[in-house]
Amino acid sequence: MQQHQLKGSLMLFFCALIWGLAFVAQSVGADHVGAFTFNGLRSLIGAVFLIPCVAFFDRLAGRPFSIWGTDNKTEQQDLITGGIVCGIVLTIASTLQQIGIGHTTVGKAGFITTLYIVIVPLFGLIVHKTVTKLQWLSVFIAAVGMYFICITENFSVNYGDMIILACACFFALHIITIERFSVLVDGVRMSLLQFAVCGILSLPAIFFYETPSWEALDQAWLPILYAGIMSCGIAYTLQILGQKYVNVIIASIILSMESVFSVFAGWLLLGEQLSLREIGGCVLVFAAILLAQMPPKQQ
């Protein structure tokens, strides 16, 4: 059992590492192409990459390959509904993230995005879920940390940070939506469908709001490829496999390490620096993220 838990923890660790490095890819991509172009192409690449993954899992299970995975009409309908709803929310979240990351640093974007773990309990109130005192404390600590990260000493607010904060809210909504449908359908298949929806929704916006050139695409193809295959395809698959062996609380803590990896990636690959004030804010946000994952005391 411990061996399986170690294997699952390592999968989740590499998932967080891939997502952390993806912030660098997104930042570089934002220098050359617009948010809809980047997200549309990477989502379609991720969807195509997941097709052989689904075929591989079907083969391991000894059943013929099928996009639906079942002949049950109700399950097929749940898969379609879940894929479309999650795809729409993911499109909004990833577009906001890609826009915001072009106006802030990779490290700050990583920490602010990871606030979805703290925002989820607040959204849970809407569906009458209990929010513990520990979670409320984590929200307060995260708010103080966000103040130090986003608001300068002269009380000016960075536009990019606010866009990333909005994206964190939609990622929180995405997590709640995933929770709603993941118990009903195959997770990898729903991921494939949501990426397909995200790509299809993003493509028309490219022609209305952006004018990507072949020269720009030539400069951005590697970040797009990384985000599509590694971030969308491999990392999500590692998350699905890893969480089979690891407690959900521990899994959330490991995955939240993407914020730490984003800081190191921005410093190592892009030469980005954070002020002492911003570093202090990142420490508070990370502490709040860990605090939010602690199990409540048993009565």
Side-chain angles (χ1 to χ4, degrees), residues 218-232:
D218 183 60
Q219 295 291 325
W221 72 268
L222 186 57
I224 292 173
L225 198 63
Y226 178 91
I229 295 178
M230 299 296 292
S231 182
C232 293

Side-chain angles (χ1 to χ4, degrees), residues 37-67:
T37 301
F38 188 91
N39 283 326
L41 294 178
R42 82 161 180 171
S43 296
L44 292 178
I45 290 172
V48 171
F49 178 82
L50 284 175
I51 293 176
C53 293
V54 170
F56 175 74
F57 290 134
D58 282 345
R59 184 173 181 179
L60 286 181
R63 58 175 179 257
F65 168 73
S66 169
I67 291 294

Side-chain angles (χ1 to χ4, degrees), residues 64-235:
F65 168 73
S66 169
I67 291 294
W68 307 115
T70 177
D71 294 327
N72 187 296
K73 297 298 182 182
T74 301
E75 292 181 11
Q76 289 182 7
Q77 185 61 47
D78 288 336
L79 179 62
I80 294 172
T81 303
I84 291 175
V85 174
C86 293
I88 292 173
V89 178
L90 181 62
T91 300
I92 299 172
S94 58
T95 300
L96 287 172
Q97 184 183 60
Q98 190 60 24
I99 293 172
I101 207 169
H103 300 277
T104 189
T105 65
V106 166
K108 290 169 68 176
F111 268 95
I112 298 172
T113 297
T114 317
L115 277 174
Y116 56 70
I117 298 178
V118 180
I119 298 172
V120 165
L122 297 178
F123 282 2
L125 291 175
I126 300 176
V127 291
H128 307 292
K129 288 191 175 183
T130 302
V131 180
T132 66
K133 293 179 179 179
L134 204 60
Q135 289 171 332
W136 281 119
L137 178 60
S138 70
V139 170
F140 173 76
I141 295 174
V144 175
M146 282 294 299
Y147 173 83
F148 287 123
I149 293 174
C150 301
I151 302 179
T152 62
E153 294 181 1
N154 60 357
F155 293 95
S156 64
V157 181
N158 184 301
Y159 167 77
D161 293 342
M162 292 297 99
I163 295 295
I164 296 292
L165 181 59
C167 115
C169 293
F170 277 97
F171 272 125
L173 182 59
H174 183 251
I175 290 173
I176 293 174
T177 309
I178 288 288
E179 182 187 28
R180 164 67 175 83
F181 288 100
S182 62
V183 296
L184 304 175
V185 300
D186 179 79
V188 179
R189 283 181 167 83
M190 189 170 73
S191 178
L192 190 161
L193 185 55
Q194 74 168 355
F195 286 134
V197 170
C198 186
I200 292 171
L201 289 177
S202 298
L203 288 180
I206 296 174
F207 301 101
F208 283 101
Y209 301 107
E210 300 171 358
T211 54
S213 64
W214 287 112
E215 182 181 358
L217 291 173
D218 183 60
Q219 295 291 325
W221 72 268
L222 186 57
I224 292 173
L225 198 63
Y226 178 91
I229 295 178
M230 299 296 292
S231 182
C232 293
I234 293 178

